[in-house]
């Protein structure tokens, strides 16, 4: 389950951020997860629960915002949602596509007290 390693990276950022502030506990953690990461929200929630045990994040609410896969044609510059990993420009039929969004895994925000 690669969600454990993804959440490990998120907790590295959380730990670094919390070490710079006087925080009693974390109430909410919001992350953005790109479609191309193939991370399942339920598996991320389980990984979050495991990593948060005995930390300031224990009991915090995890909010997962899914980021759709967006491509841009390098030939005609048309931007489109990539469906079913089909990297073909619907405008000009080119396969010369770059990913604009959908690869990210970001710690968006922390709500703390």
């Amino acid at each position: 389950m690669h969600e454990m390693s993804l959440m490990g990276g998120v907790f590295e950022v959380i730990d670094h951020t919390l070490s710079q502030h006087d925080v009693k506990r974390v109430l909410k953690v919001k992350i953005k997860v790109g479609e191309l990461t193939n991370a399942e929200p339920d598996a991320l929630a389980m990984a979050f629960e495991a990593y948060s045990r005995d930390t300031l994040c224990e009991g915090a609410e995890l909010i997962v915002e899914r980021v759709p896969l967006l491509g841009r044609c390098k030939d005609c510059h048309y931007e489109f949602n990539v469906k079913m990993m089909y990297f073909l420009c619907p405008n000009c039929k080119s396969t010369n596509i770059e990913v604009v969004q959908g690869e990210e895994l970001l710690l968006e925000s922390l709500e703390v007290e």
Side-chain angles (χ1 to χ4, degrees), residues 48-94:
F48 178 79
E49 186 177 326
Y51 270 99
S52 66
R53 204 167 289 129
D54 299 323
T55 72
L56 295 175
C57 291
E58 188 168 15
E61 178 185 3
L62 175 66
I63 300 168
V64 178
E65 180 184 333
R66 301 287 289 174
V67 179
L69 183 54
L70 184 66
R72 179 184 302 122
C73 179
K74 291 182 181 180
D75 294 333
C76 74
H77 308 289
Y78 183 74
E79 286 191 8
F80 60 97
N81 285 330
V82 177
K83 304 286 187 205
M84 308 279 293
M85 301 303 170
Y86 191 63
F87 289 87
L88 181 70
C89 177
N91 189 50
C92 73
K93 308 302 183 222
S94 172

Coordinates of all heavy atoms in Angstrom, one line a residue, residues 48-94:
F48 N -3.1 7.8 7.7 CA -3.1 9.0 8.5 C -3.3 8.6 10.0 O -2.6 9.1 10.9 CB -4.2 10.0 8.1 CG -4.3 11.2 8.9 CD1 -3.4 12.3 8.8 CD2 -5.3 11.3 9.9 CE1 -3.4 13.4 9.6 CE2 -5.3 12.5 10.7 CZ -4.4 13.5 10.6
E49 N -4.3 7.7 10.2 CA -4.6 7.3 11.6 C -3.4 6.6 12.2 O -3.0 6.8 13.3 CB -5.8 6.3 11.5 CG -6.2 5.9 12.9 CD -7.5 5.0 12.9 OE1 -8.3 5.2 12.0 OE2 -7.6 4.2 13.7
A50 N -2.7 5.8 11.4 CA -1.5 5.1 11.9 C -0.4 6.1 12.2 O 0.3 6.0 13.3 CB -1.0 4.1 10.9
Y51 N -0.1 7.0 11.3 CA 1.0 8.0 11.6 C 0.7 9.0 12.7 O 1.6 9.5 13.4 CB 1.3 8.8 10.3 CG 2.4 8.1 9.4 CD1 2.0 7.3 8.3 CD2 3.7 8.3 9.7 CE1 3.0 6.7 7.6 CE2 4.7 7.7 9.0 CZ 4.3 6.9 7.9 OH 5.3 6.3 7.1
S52 N -0.6 9.3 12.9 CA -1.0 10.3 13.9 C -1.0 9.7 15.3 O -1.0 10.5 16.2 CB -2.4 10.9 13.5 OG -3.4 10.0 13.6
R53 N -1.0 8.4 15.4 CA -1.1 7.8 16.8 C 0.0 8.3 17.7 O 1.2 8.4 17.3 CB -1.1 6.3 16.6 CG -1.7 5.6 17.8 CD -1.9 4.1 17.5 NE -3.0 3.9 16.5 CZ -2.8 3.2 15.4 NH1 -1.7 2.5 15.2 NH2 -3.9 3.0 14.6
D54 N -0.4 8.8 18.8 CA 0.6 9.3 19.8 C 1.3 10.6 19.4 O 2.5 10.8 19.8 CB 1.6 8.2 20.3 CG 0.9 7.0 20.9 OD1 -0.1 7.2 21.7 OD2 1.3 5.9 20.7
T55 N 0.7 11.4 18.5 CA 1.3 12.6 18.1 C 0.2 13.7 18.3 O -0.9 13.5 18.7 CB 1.6 12.6 16.6 OG1 0.4 12.7 15.8 CG2 2.5 11.4 16.2
L56 N 0.6 15.0 18.0 CA -0.3 16.1 18.1 C -1.5 16.0 17.1 O -2.5 16.7 17.2 CB 0.4 17.4 17.9 CG 1.5 17.8 18.9 CD1 2.2 19.1 18.5 CD2 0.9 18.0 20.3
C57 N -1.3 15.1 16.1 CA -2.4 15.0 15.1 C -3.4 13.9 15.5 O -4.4 13.7 14.8 CB -1.7 14.6 13.8 SG -0.8 15.9 13.0
E58 N -3.1 13.2 16.5 CA -4.1 12.1 16.9 C -5.5 12.7 17.1 O -5.6 13.7 17.8 CB -3.6 11.4 18.2 CG -4.5 10.1 18.5 CD -3.9 9.2 19.5 OE1 -2.9 9.7 20.2 OE2 -4.3 8.1 19.6
G59 N -6.5 12.1 16.5 CA -7.8 12.6 16.6 C -8.2 13.7 15.6 O -9.3 14.1 15.5
A60 N -7.2 14.2 14.9 CA -7.5 15.3 13.9 C -8.3 14.7 12.7 O -8.3 13.6 12.4 CB -6.2 15.9 13.4
E61 N -9.1 15.6 12.1 CA -9.8 15.3 10.9 C -8.9 15.5 9.7 O -8.2 16.5 9.5 CB -11.0 16.3 10.8 CG -11.8 16.1 9.6 CD -12.9 17.1 9.4 OE1 -13.0 18.0 10.2 OE2 -13.7 17.0 8.4
L62 N -8.9 14.4 8.9 CA -8.2 14.5 7.6 C -9.2 14.8 6.5 O -10.2 14.2 6.3 CB -7.5 13.1 7.3 CG -6.8 13.0 5.9 CD1 -5.6 14.0 5.9 CD2 -6.4 11.6 5.6
I63 N -8.8 15.9 5.7 CA -9.6 16.3 4.6 C -8.8 16.1 3.3 O -7.7 16.6 3.2 CB -10.1 17.8 4.7 CG1 -10.9 18.0 6.0 CG2 -10.8 18.2 3.4 CD1 -11.1 19.4 6.3
V64 N -9.3 15.3 2.4 CA -8.6 14.9 1.2 C -9.3 15.6 0.0 O -10.5 15.3 -0.2 CB -8.5 13.4 1.0 CG1 -7.8 13.1 -0.3 CG2 -7.8 12.7 2.2
E65 N -8.6 16.5 -0.6 CA -9.2 17.1 -1.8 C -8.5 16.5 -3.1 O -7.3 16.5 -3.2 CB -8.9 18.6 -1.8 CG -9.4 19.3 -3.1 CD -9.1 20.8 -3.1 OE1 -8.9 21.4 -2.0 OE2 -9.0 21.3 -4.2
R66 N -9.3 15.8 -3.9 CA -8.8 15.2 -5.1 C -8.6 16.3 -6.2 O -9.4 17.2 -6.4 CB -9.8 14.2 -5.6 CG -10.2 13.1 -4.6 CD -9.1 12.1 -4.4 NE -9.0 11.3 -5.6 CZ -8.0 10.4 -5.8 NH1 -7.1 10.2 -4.9 NH2 -7.9 9.7 -6.9
V67 N -7.5 16.1 -6.8 CA -7.1 17.1 -7.9 C -7.2 16.3 -9.2 O -6.4 15.3 -9.4 CB -5.7 17.7 -7.7 CG1 -5.3 18.6 -8.9 CG2 -5.6 18.4 -6.4
P68 N -8.0 16.7 -10.2 CA -8.2 16.0 -11.4 C -6.9 16.1 -12.3 O -6.1 17.0 -12.2 CB -9.4 16.6 -12.1 CG -9.5 18.0 -11.5 CD -8.9 17.9 -10.1
L69 N -6.8 15.1 -13.1 CA -5.6 15.1 -14.1 C -5.9 16.0 -15.3 O -6.9 15.8 -16.0 CB -5.4 13.7 -14.5 CG -4.2 13.4 -15.5 CD1 -2.9 13.9 -14.9 CD2 -4.1 11.9 -15.7
L70 N -5.1 17.0 -15.4 CA -5.3 18.0 -16.5 C -4.0 18.0 -17.4 O -2.9 18.0 -16.9 CB -5.4 19.4 -15.9 CG -5.7 20.6 -16.8 CD1 -7.1 20.4 -17.4 CD2 -5.7 21.9 -16.0
G71 N -4.3 17.9 -18.7 CA -3.2 17.9 -19.7 C -3.2 19.1 -20.6 O -4.3 19.7 -20.7
R72 N -2.1 19.4 -21.2 CA -2.0 20.5 -22.1 C -1.3 19.9 -23.4 O -0.2 19.4 -23.3 CB -1.2 21.7 -21.6 CG -1.1 22.8 -22.6 CD -0.3 24.0 -22.1 NE -0.8 24.6 -20.9 CZ -0.1 24.7 -19.8 NH1 1.1 24.3 -19.7 NH2 -0.7 25.2 -18.7
C73 N -1.9 20.2 -24.5 CA -1.2 19.8 -25.8 C -0.1 20.7 -26.1 O -0.3 21.9 -26.1 CB -2.3 19.8 -26.9 SG -1.6 19.3 -28.5
K74 N 1.1 20.1 -26.3 CA 2.2 21.0 -26.6 C 2.2 21.5 -28.1 O 2.9 22.4 -28.4 CB 3.5 20.2 -26.4 CG 3.8 19.9 -25.0 CD 5.1 19.1 -24.8 CE 5.5 18.8 -23.4 NZ 6.7 18.1 -23.3
D75 N 1.3 20.9 -28.9 CA 1.2 21.4 -30.3 C 0.2 22.5 -30.4 O 0.5 23.5 -31.0 CB 0.8 20.2 -31.2 CG 1.9 19.1 -31.2 OD1 3.1 19.5 -31.0 OD2 1.6 17.9 -31.4
C76 N -1.0 22.3 -29.9 CA -2.1 23.4 -30.1 C -2.4 24.1 -28.8 O -3.2 25.0 -28.8 CB -3.4 22.7 -30.7 SG -4.3 21.8 -29.5
H77 N -1.7 23.7 -27.7 CA -1.9 24.4 -26.4 C -3.3 24.3 -25.8 O -3.6 25.0 -24.9 CB -1.5 25.9 -26.5 CG -0.1 26.0 -27.1 ND1 1.1 25.7 -26.5 CD2 0.3 26.5 -28.3 CE1 2.1 25.9 -27.2 NE2 1.6 26.4 -28.4
Y78 N -4.0 23.3 -26.2 CA -5.4 23.1 -25.7 C -5.2 22.3 -24.3 O -4.5 21.4 -24.2 CB -6.2 22.2 -26.6 CG -7.6 22.0 -26.2 CD1 -8.6 23.0 -26.3 CD2 -8.0 20.7 -25.8 CE1 -9.9 22.8 -25.9 CE2 -9.3 20.5 -25.4 CZ -10.2 21.5 -25.5 OH -11.5 21.3 -25.1
E79 N -6.0 22.8 -23.3 CA -6.0 22.2 -22.0 C -7.2 21.3 -21.8 O -8.3 21.8 -22.2 CB -5.8 23.2 -20.8 CG -4.5 23.7 -20.7 CD -4.3 24.6 -19.4 OE1 -5.1 24.6 -18.6 OE2 -3.2 25.2 -19.4
F80 N -7.1 20.2 -21.2 CA -8.3 19.3 -21.1 C -8.1 18.3 -19.9 O -6.9 18.1 -19.5 CB -8.4 18.5 -22.4 CG -7.3 17.6 -22.8 CD1 -7.2 16.3 -22.5 CD2 -6.2 18.2 -23.5 CE1 -6.1 15.5 -22.8 CE2 -5.1 17.4 -23.8 CZ -5.0 16.1 -23.5
N81 N -9.2 17.8 -19.4 CA -9.2 16.8 -18.4 C -8.8 15.4 -19.1 O -9.4 15.1 -20.1 CB -10.5 16.6 -17.7 CG -10.8 17.8 -16.8 OD1 -9.9 18.3 -16.2 ND2 -12.0 18.1 -16.6
V82 N -7.8 14.8 -18.5 CA -7.4 13.5 -19.0 C -8.3 12.4 -18.4 O -8.4 12.3 -17.2 CB -5.9 13.2 -18.7 CG1 -5.5 11.8 -19.2 CG2 -5.0 14.3 -19.3
K83 N -9.0 11.7 -19.2 CA -9.9 10.6 -18.8 C -9.3 9.3 -19.1 O -8.8 9.0 -20.2 CB -11.2 10.7 -19.5 CG -11.9 12.1 -19.4 CD -12.5 12.3 -18.0 CE -13.3 13.6 -18.0 NZ -13.5 14.1 -16.7
M84 N -9.4 8.4 -18.1 CA -8.9 7.0 -18.2 C -7.5 6.9 -18.7 O -7.2 6.0 -19.5 CB -9.9 6.3 -19.2 CG -11.3 6.4 -18.8 SD -11.9 5.3 -17.6 CE -11.7 3.7 -18.3
M85 N -6.6 7.8 -18.3 CA -5.2 7.9 -18.7 C -5.1 7.9 -20.2 O -4.1 7.3 -20.8 CB -4.5 6.7 -18.1 CG -4.5 6.6 -16.6 SD -3.8 8.2 -15.9 CE -4.3 8.0 -14.2
Y86 N -6.0 8.5 -20.9 CA -5.9 8.6 -22.4 C -5.3 9.9 -22.8 O -6.0 11.0 -22.8 CB -7.4 8.5 -22.9 CG -7.5 8.3 -24.4 CD1 -7.0 7.2 -25.0 CD2 -8.2 9.2 -25.2 CE1 -7.1 7.0 -26.4 CE2 -8.3 9.1 -26.5 CZ -7.8 7.9 -27.1 OH -7.9 7.8 -28.5
F87 N -4.0 9.9 -23.0 CA -3.3 11.1 -23.3 C -3.3 11.5 -24.8 O -2.3 11.3 -25.5 CB -1.8 11.0 -22.8 CG -1.7 11.0 -21.3 CD1 -1.9 9.8 -20.6 CD2 -1.5 12.2 -20.6 CE1 -1.8 9.9 -19.2 CE2 -1.5 12.2 -19.2 CZ -1.6 11.0 -18.5
L88 N -4.4 11.9 -25.3 CA -4.6 12.3 -26.7 C -5.4 13.6 -26.7 O -6.5 13.7 -26.1 CB -5.4 11.2 -27.4 CG -5.6 11.5 -28.9 CD1 -4.3 11.4 -29.7 CD2 -6.6 10.5 -29.5
C89 N -4.9 14.6 -27.4 CA -5.5 15.9 -27.4 C -6.9 15.7 -28.1 O -6.9 15.3 -29.3 CB -4.7 16.9 -28.1 SG -5.4 18.5 -28.3
P90 N -8.0 16.1 -27.5 CA -9.3 16.0 -28.1 C -9.4 17.1 -29.2 O -10.3 17.0 -30.0 CB -10.3 16.3 -27.0 CG -9.5 17.0 -25.9 CD -8.1 16.6 -26.1
N91 N -8.6 18.1 -29.2 CA -8.7 19.2 -30.2 C -8.0 18.8 -31.5 O -8.5 18.9 -32.6 CB -8.1 20.5 -29.6 CG -8.4 21.7 -30.5 OD1 -9.5 21.9 -30.9 ND2 -7.3 22.4 -30.7
C92 N -6.7 18.4 -31.4 CA -5.9 18.2 -32.6 C -5.4 16.7 -32.8 O -4.7 16.4 -33.7 CB -4.7 19.1 -32.7 SG -3.4 18.7 -31.6
K93 N -5.7 15.9 -31.8 CA -5.4 14.4 -31.8 C -3.9 14.1 -31.6 O -3.4 13.0 -31.9 CB -5.9 13.7 -33.1 CG -7.3 13.9 -33.4 CD -8.2 13.5 -32.3 CE -9.7 13.6 -32.6 NZ -10.5 14.2 -31.6
S94 N -3.2 15.1 -31.1 CA -1.7 14.9 -30.9 C -1.5 14.1 -29.6 O -2.4 14.2 -28.7 CB -1.1 16.3 -30.7 OG 0.3 16.1 -30.3

